[in-house]
Amino acid sequence: MSADDIQQLKADLWDKLGDEKASLVNDDETLKRFLKATGGNYQLTLKRLQKTAAWRADRKPEEVDCPACAADCTSHYMHLCGYDKQGRPVLYSTFALMGKRTVHLTMDHMIQMFEMAVRSMPPGVEQWVWLNDFVGFGVSDLNPSLALSFLELSADHYPERLGQLLVLDAPGILTPLWNMLKPFIDPVTHKKIRFLPHDLPRPGGGQHDSQLLRALNELMDEELVQWVLQEMKTVRGFTSGEGPRPMYDMRQLRSAVESGKVDSLYPALAPGQQGSSTAATGQLGHCHYGTTKMLDSFLAKPNIVIPEQKT
């Protein structure tokens, strides 16, 4: 791709879409991502950009606020949790805490999270990482509609946004669904998907080479690695009946960000401890809303968690 390609795309988009719709997709980085996704096919890129511009004008994804979670915060559990070593935002999700499995409701939530991930990206970062924890995945989840809808959404409107997808603790019953989906996944995306077992060493079990630990340590700093391990442990504690349900309430998060007191999101705070997210780092326990780096980014850029409302 060349600078001339970018300028020509801009001119063609203005000509075909007009000022308002073209402005939704004509920044340089978006054009480069779409060109890369099509292997530099100019006409296909132009067609896909027109489709996404029409979708963004109609769907207004930057304004999406998952209605299911607004009514019941136990509806979905997919959210930002930190940044990897490359500065890419990291999403964590689990089937175990997915109260609403209806495709259109889940897609609303996914769009909201994707838009939040984009808003959270530091300058120069264009991709996110997704940790999809399959604990709680059952026979009722074998319907391919949700997975196919995700693949279509990503390919059509978020090309080249996925940096890596870690499939955690996938059960054997996923195999037939995965085999059915593989033909629909382009080779570039396929290389970004990695299956990892929940093979952590047991306490007192001696030396143990864990694929999960090696992969997490390659990708993340120590704070995020520990957050992921603790989150997975807490989710499994809930599914086994040994612990409370992890909660992620967007209203509570927004209130904490707006007040500047994100430490209120941590469990069991002593009186007077609440303040900035760095006030008592390492003393506040596990926060389901993410690492201190994630929470600090919410404070620095409140629009990450507050959807844009246009008149």
Side-chain angles (χ1 to χ4, degrees):
M1 74 186 73
S2 67
D4 288 342
D5 290 329
I6 299 298
Q7 293 307 312
Q8 188 60 52
L9 267 176
K10 288 185 177 183
D12 286 342
L13 286 169
W14 286 115
D15 181 58
K16 292 178 179 297
L17 299 175
D19 293 359
E20 187 173 352
K21 281 190 178 179
S23 66
L24 299 173
V25 294
N26 74 340
D27 62 280
D28 287 5
E29 296 308 319
T30 295
L31 301 183
K32 290 176 183 177
R33 285 189 295 102
F34 274 75
L35 273 168
K36 183 176 180 180
T38 64
N41 185 319
Y42 186 90
Q43 291 302 321
L44 182 57
T45 299
L46 183 60
K47 182 179 179 180
R48 289 188 176 182
L49 284 165
Q50 289 177 264
K51 182 178 181 179
T52 291
W55 177 76
R56 295 195 74 89
D58 177 65
R59 188 67 178 85
K60 296 180 174 58
E62 71 280 359
E63 298 180 18
V64 170
D65 195 10
C66 178
C69 290
D72 178 2
C73 66
T74 67
S75 297
H76 302 109
Y77 203 83
M78 174 188 186
H79 59 83
L80 291 166
C81 62
Y83 293 93
D84 77 350
K85 291 179 179 178
Q86 298 180 44
R88 298 177 297 186
V90 178
L91 293 155
Y92 174 85
S93 65
T94 179
F95 283 87
L97 303 178
M98 191 174 171
K100 297 286 190 302
R101 281 167 157 77
T102 307
V103 172
H104 77 275
L105 292 176
T106 304
M107 295 307 294
D108 282 341
H109 189 84
M110 195 173 291
I111 289 169
Q112 181 184 1
M113 292 302 111
F114 287 172
E115 291 292 316
M116 286 177 58
V118 172
R119 293 196 295 269
S120 74
M121 290 175 179
V125 173
E126 290 287 316
Q127 296 182 320
W128 59 65
V129 174
W130 184 3
L131 312 181
N132 196 355
D133 188 351
F134 271 70
V135 66
F137 184 91
V139 174
S140 62
D141 298 306
L142 289 173
N143 186 323
S145 297
L146 179 58
L148 290 172
S149 295
F150 157 69
L151 291 172
E152 181 180 10
L153 176 71
S154 298
D156 286 351
H157 307 307
Y158 297 95
E160 296 298 317
R161 284 299 195 189
L162 180 66
Q164 196 165 0
L165 170 58
L166 301 187
V167 178
L168 310 177
D169 199 12
I173 61 170
L174 178 64
T175 301
L177 177 60
W178 172 244
N179 289 335
M180 191 216 75
L181 292 172
K182 281 192 288 187
F184 297 95
I185 303 173
D186 71 82
V188 174
T189 300
H190 192 278
K191 291 179 181 179
K192 298 176 181 179
I193 302 174
R194 185 174 181 183
F195 285 76
L196 293 169
H198 187 249
D199 61 347
L200 298 175
R202 296 180 178 179
Q207 294 294 320
H208 180 78
D209 183 24
S210 166
Q211 294 181 55
L212 176 61
L213 276 177
R214 278 193 284 113
L216 294 181
N217 282 312
E218 288 170 6
L219 191 64
M220 308 166 185
D221 64 16
E222 181 64 17
E223 183 191 14
L224 184 53
V225 169
Q226 292 305 315
W227 186 93
V228 172
L229 295 179
Q230 185 59 44
E231 188 74 359
M232 294 180 72
K233 179 180 179 180
T234 305
V235 171
R236 282 155 181 77
F238 168 71
T239 59
S240 66
E242 298 175 0
R245 178 191 177 97
M247 301 294 290
Y248 193 98
D249 188 335
M250 187 60 71
R251 291 169 298 182
Q252 184 179 13
L253 174 60
R254 288 172 181 160
S255 177
V257 170
E258 288 173 345
S259 68
K261 296 181 179 179
V262 294
D263 282 356
S264 63
L265 302 171
Y266 285 83
L269 281 176
Q273 273 192 304
Q274 297 179 8
S276 71
S277 64
T278 56
T281 300
Q283 302 176 23
L284 302 181
H286 180 69
C287 176
H288 298 298
Y289 293 86
T291 64
T292 57
K293 289 180 182 178
M294 191 78 260
L295 297 180
D296 282 340
S297 73
F298 294 158
L299 287 176
K301 295 175 61 179
N303 71 310
I304 295 174
V305 299
I306 301 172
E308 183 177 350
Q309 298 294 327
K310 295 181 179 179
T311 56

